[in-house]
Structure formats: C-alpha cells, structure tokens
Amino acid sequence: TQSTWGGIGSMDPHIKRLVGLLHARSFRCAINVTGGGSQAISWLLGVPGASNTILEACVPYSRSASAEIIKGDKFVSEDAAKDLAKAAFLRAQNLYYADEGFSLGAFNHMPILGVGCTAGLVSSEPKRGPHQCFIATHSMQSSSVFHCVLNKGKRDRWEEDGVVSRLILTAIAEAVGIEPTEYELSQELTQEDQLHKTQSPLEHPIDQLFAHHYAQIIRSSTGQWVGDLPLRGAVLMSGSFNPLHEGHQRLAEAAARKTGLDQIVYELAVLNADKPSIPSATVVSRVNQFEESGFAVAVSSSPLFIQKTELFKHCVFPIGFDTAVRLVDPKYYNDDPITMATALKTMQKNGARFVVAGRLTSSGVFSTLSDVSIPHGFEDMFIELTEEEFRMDISSTEIRAKLSQQ
C-alpha cells in the first residue's frame, strides 16, 4: 500500500512530477484541510521548491478549531470547503506581503491561491453517511469546488486519504493553469466513486464588496485587485472623487511630504456618512479615473473615519478644515462628548493621524488647524499644513458645475 500511495521515501513518481510542476509555477498558496487530505501537505513539502509555493499549511482538525473558520454547522459540505479556501486565501495574502513588504506594485505579479478541503472518511466508529470530500480553491478571480463521494467500504483510511490528497493536487494544478496533458496522475477512482467539479469566475471585486465578501478592496496602479489586505503606514486620501481632480493629488502629496511617507492610496467609500450610497456602476466609473491617472485606489464600505482607521491602521488621512472641525465637534456624535472622546481614543489606538489642510471660508478668511479646538490628549493626532505648504481653492462642486456648462 505504501508504494502505491507514496509514503515516506517512496513517493509515487507521478505525484512527485506534478508537485515539481506546481513548485515551478509562479504563485503562492495557503492550505486548510480537515478530516482528510493530509498526505497532500506531506507531498507538497516533500519535493524541493516548496518554499517557492507554500506559505502555510494548516490542519484545523478539532471541531472547535474548524468552527473558527467554517461559518455553518455542516463541517463536511461545499460551503465549509469554500470557507476554508477563502480563509486560506486571505491568510496567504497577509503572509506573502508580510514577507515581501507591501508595496503598491508588489501584487501585480504574484497570483495568490487559497485551498480548502473538508472530508468525512473511514473512522474508528462506522459513519452512517457517505464517505466524501469537498475541495475548494479560491483566488481573486475565480473559485472551484471538487466533490467526491467514495465507494464506501472499498478502502481503508489511508487509501481514502490518498484519493482526497490526489484530488487536492489536481485542484491546485487546475487553479494555476497546469493542463492535465502536462502530467499523468491517476485519481485512483473506481466506477462506483462519484466526482463532480464546478468552476466559476467570481463577480467583479466591486460587486464582491457590495455583496459583503470583503470589507475593503485595493486596486494597484496597474489594475490588479486584492481583497481585505491589511494596509499599514500609507497616506490614505479619502473622498468621493466626483470627479478626481488636481486638488486631491496635491493634498495627498503634501501630506506625504509632511509625514515622510512615500506610499499614497486613494480611498473611495461606497457608503457616505452625509450622502446616499454610490451605485455599483458609478463606483466602477469613479475607480476607472485612477486607472487613467496611474494611482492606486482602495474601495471600502466604511464611510466614517472611526471605521476607516479599523480597516487601515497606522495610516495618515489628509483632510480639509471642515472635516477636522466635524471630527472634534460633539454635535456629530449625537451631542455626546463622551461618545466623541471614545471615538477619538479608538482612532488614536489604531494609529491614525490627520493632516489638515486650510480652507478659504465664505468670509474670506483662510482657516487652518490652529483655528480648531482639539480636545486635550488628542493634539498629536492632528498635523497642520500651513498655507505655504498647501493651498488650493478648488472644490469638486465647482468642477462639476463647470463641466455641466460645457
């Protein structure tokens, strides 16, 4: 049996070849398996080159460990496999960019894949239900699911695990574009076994955000998307960008110079604290402005700064004078100074800083941060841009009015 399934020191040469092909492919992967499929992890790590491919392989085997990832109460199901794959995908993103160092161009070139497997196989106590596995892969672009129902009673535990493990390798190979003609790997399936495969492209990342699959998504300056990637230590220029104009860019650049940060990301919230939510088609149109200008843009469903600082920790937010006034005015916290102080403490704990640009008021006075009464203990959160450092008397409203007259 060991020579058939590829035990230690006797890996099936077909398995070895496929794993070698995977390690030669340009992608990074994290894996979650529970209930079966552990041999796949051994095979993937048993061929030189695993560090080029595998970021992490986990076996959340106990019910409580699986419950931290799987949302429903059916642990051997298609949805459970998808939950495991999605969690692996997000983990792979985080690990890859932690190793490589996040930059707005880093994710342009490296595909990230999450793999999840959940199985119910031969156990010490006979199972009433079928012996089966669900294997899912998840990337930013597509997802796939393999469902295999095994001929109950034909194999022992090790052999069933071997079938599941071979299917995991096959699922990964398909996900990264390795054609079946490039390798010869028998699935060791019989006529009594049932295998079903489904593969589907995912919705546009913006639609995935609207469907609450992600809290935030980021598109690089060259158009690649990542979801829920922790962004740290950047200048985050928030706005509705209707339209994107020179004032946005110059304010962001001034904030970067003031704080010494070299990474600028523009952030568009599909929900707005003061305005109706932005329709999906409009969001796409506004995001496309950044493609033409070569800027990176984040899209979130968090209109409030306290929410933004939870998503984008230790970031600098360039804001105008009026926004700074609202941030420290109890009127915008249901007239409750305690609620305001609690919100400011949360933002402070999240490492947020606000670079404040001045504004020409209707009375003809150029007001700056020095004209804002900052509550005691929060002064370090706010950084003033002097009139010399930034002044641009332009607004999106004025630009829209001019455009409508053309």
Side-chain angles (χ1 to χ4, degrees), residues 9-23:
S10 59
M11 186 182 297
D12 184 318
H14 298 299
I15 292 174
K16 189 174 183 179
R17 170 170 170 72
L18 176 53
V19 173
L21 290 172
L22 291 171
H23 290 337

Side-chain angles (χ1 to χ4, degrees), residues 219-221 237 240-241 244 265-268 285-297:
R219 194 179 75 170
S220 74
S221 57
M237 180 70 208
S240 57
F241 307 113
L244 173 67
V265 181
Y266 294 78
E267 187 255 346
L268 169 65
S285 176
R286 293 187 189 177
V287 166
N288 286 341
Q289 299 176 105
F290 295 91
E291 182 176 9
E292 297 167 1
S293 58
F295 299 133
V297 58

Side-chain angles (χ1 to χ4, degrees), residues 28 30 55 87-99 102 107 112-113 140 214 225-230:
R28 296 291 186 272
L55 294 166
F89 169 75
L90 295 176
R91 178 66 173 161
Q93 277 192 159
N94 295 351
L95 290 172
Y96 176 69
Y97 295 113
D99 288 344
F102 177 79
F107 58 86
I112 303 294
L113 183 69
M140 202 68 194
Y214 296 104
W225 289 94
V226 291
D228 284 346
L229 180 69

